[in-house]
């Protein structure tokens, strides 16, 4: 049984995710897998995603991984990254595609027009680079990470939810958007901890030690 | 607030980092992992590896380099040089690159940019543009050059930048061939023209000789990121010093 399974559905570079986890937890067995049975057996699950959400949904389903993802999200420590965050919600503007619907909310695109910062300079899309993450409530995954620490982002879409209790972190671009959510055994982030140097490695180290207080335990 | 990025560029030839890497106390100046780790410690926001290997049969030698660096250094990595096919893009991403830059092959076959972007996402496709200022009066114009700046492509650089954006590039790496190697600063007019014309981020490159040049690229050139090689390689300045100078000029940086 793997300590950590990184779910592989053919969308992008998962090597850096697994390498970063191995780096912070050299004693753990980390696998990159597209086998639902392996995902089911693993103690913890990382759900990454790159590229376009419609492709991610299609490739996940093509590999028969939907049930394994949903089961993991209901039962064990679960970390979503980037599109892996977006896919947890109901629907995305990107290709007008349905997500997994685990969490209430929608995935929206940054408005390319009329985005300017406080200094009046134009903001580009994708939102690419290192930005501040405000921690909106304390959580074991923020342990040892400064409130306002910078993480590396690269994305054109962001999640919007009416359930503010879900929102664990926010970033401004130029207005505030949700960059981290937490519920029970699920934590998911828009930024890339595996590419965010010391702060990102700390978050991954926190994840592999995390014992969620209230695992949701089934449906 | 989003930080402006500083990106050291490392030239790789047949599996070794070349171009006089001169950090004090470096065990092996040609070891890409050691050099990358040093830049990471200095606060580099990303790293770019440019494969300058001439022969294609030695080009795969960069793959173990990328794998080794990706296992030790956890900041974004871009790899470019000799990328011709979607299969090349896939190999580099699988080795651990986060982004792949495409230059000559994009001009020869624009569909490559569209295909690679559709398959792997715009976030990992960097359109590299080598531009040279055209002689003449009137408003300035720049032309695209390929093959390491040797061959004119017959394209207006800014129009080509817009086309790369339309094809699905997520970012532009813009190099002034007039300024490359001169150490007199970026072509700020070129940089600003690009940055203002495009919705996607623009990385300025070519001509950096001191730290103020980097800040100028952002403050006056409106670039989202600045790339430099020799001022960092020769140990003249650290990335940290560059960031302190930029911060003192009111530029948002990750310190």
């Amino acid at each position: 049984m793997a300590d950590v399974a990184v779910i592989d559905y053919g969308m992008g570079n998962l090597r850096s995710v697994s390498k970063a986890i191995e780096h912070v937890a050299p004693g753990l067995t980390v696998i990159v897998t597209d086998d639902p049975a392996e995902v089911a057996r693993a103690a913890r699950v990382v759900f990454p995603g790159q590229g376009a959400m419609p492709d991610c949904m299609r490739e996940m389903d093509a590999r028969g991984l939907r049930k394994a993802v949903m089961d993991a999200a209901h039962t064990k420590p679960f970390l979503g990254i980037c599109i892996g965050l977006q896919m947890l919600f109901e629907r995305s503007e990107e290709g007008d595609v349905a997500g997994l619907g685990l969490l209430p909310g929608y995935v929206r695109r940054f408005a390319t027009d009329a985005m300017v910062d406080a200094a009046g300079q134009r903001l580009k899309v994708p939102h690419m680079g290192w930005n501040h993450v405000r921690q909106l409530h304390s959580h074991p995954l923020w342990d040892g990470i400064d409130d306002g620490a910078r993480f590396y982002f690269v994305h054109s879409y962001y999640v919007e939810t009416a359930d503010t209790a879900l929102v664990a972190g926010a970033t401004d671009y130029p207005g505030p958007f949700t960059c981290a959510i937490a519920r029970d055994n699920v934590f998911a982030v828009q930024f890339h901890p595996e590419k965010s140097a010391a702060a990102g490695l700390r978050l991954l180290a926190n994840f592999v030690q995390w014992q969620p207080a209230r695992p949701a335990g089934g449906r | 607030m989003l930080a402006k990025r500083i990106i050291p560029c490392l030239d790789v030839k047949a599996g070794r980092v070349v171009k006089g890497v001169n950090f004090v106390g470096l065990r092996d100046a040609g070891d890409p992992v050691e050099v990358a780790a040093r830049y990471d410690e200095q606060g580099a926001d990303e790293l770019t590896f440019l494969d300058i290997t001439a022969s294609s049969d030695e080009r795969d030698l960069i793959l173990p380099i990328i794998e080794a660096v990706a296992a030790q250094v956890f900041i974004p990595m871009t790899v470019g040089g000799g990328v011709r096919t979607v299969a090349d893009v896939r190999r580099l991403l699988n080795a651990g690159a986060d982004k792949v830059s495409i230059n000559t092959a994009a001009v020869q076959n624009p569909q490559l940019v569209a295909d690679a972007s559709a398959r792997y996402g715009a976030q990992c496709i960097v359109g590299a543009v080598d531009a040279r200022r055209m002689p003449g009066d009137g408003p300035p114009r720049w032309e695209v050059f390929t093959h390491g700046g040797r061959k004119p492509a017959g394209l207006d650089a800014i129009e080509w930048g817009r086309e790369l954006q339309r094809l699905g590039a997520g970012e532009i790496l813009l190099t002034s061939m007039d300024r490359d190697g001169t150490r007199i600063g970026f072509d700020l007019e070129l940089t600003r023209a690009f940055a203002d014309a495009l919705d996607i981020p623009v990385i300025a490159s070519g001509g950096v000789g001191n730290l103020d040049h980097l800040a100028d690229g952002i403050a006056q050139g409106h670039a989202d990121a600045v790339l430099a090689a020799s001022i960092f390689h020769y140990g003249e300045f650290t990335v940290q010093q560059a960031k302190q100078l930029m911060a003192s000029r009111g530029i948002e940086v990750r310190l």
Side-chain angles (χ1 to χ4, degrees), chain A residues 104 136-137 161-169 178 180-182:
Chain A
L136 299 188
H137 57 72
T161 179
D163 186 354
T164 52
L166 280 179
V167 183
T178 296
I181 61 95

Side-chain angles (χ1 to χ4, degrees), chain A residues 73-86:
Chain A
H74 281 106
T75 55
K76 57 184 85 170
F78 182 100
L79 177 64
I81 298 174
C82 194
I83 312 286
L85 159 71
Q86 298 176 7

Side-chain angles (χ1 to χ4, degrees), chain A residues 133-179:
Chain A
V133 170
R134 288 196 307 278
Q135 299 168 12
L136 299 188
H137 57 72
S138 65
H139 191 281
L141 264 71
W142 294 136
D143 186 45
I145 299 170
D146 289 341
D147 186 12
R150 288 184 189 274
F151 287 84
Y152 184 79
F153 289 83
V154 50
H155 63 122
S156 301
Y157 294 79
Y158 62 96
V159 298
E160 195 175 81
T161 179
D163 186 354
T164 52
L166 280 179
V167 183
T171 293
D172 294 337
Y173 195 69
F177 72 89
T178 296
C179 70

Side-chain angles (χ1 to χ4, degrees), chain B residues 6 186 208-217 226 231-232 236-246 249 251:
Chain B
I6 297 183
F186 295 121
V208 174
N210 62 47
L211 299 181
D212 273 303
H213 291 155
L214 293 171
D216 292 343
V226 286
I231 64 159
F232 298 131
E236 218 175 322
F237 298 105
T238 64
V239 175
Q240 196 64 24
Q241 287 171 323
K243 289 189 165 181
Q244 278 156 0
L245 182 277
M246 283 163 75
R249 287 185 50 179
I251 295 168

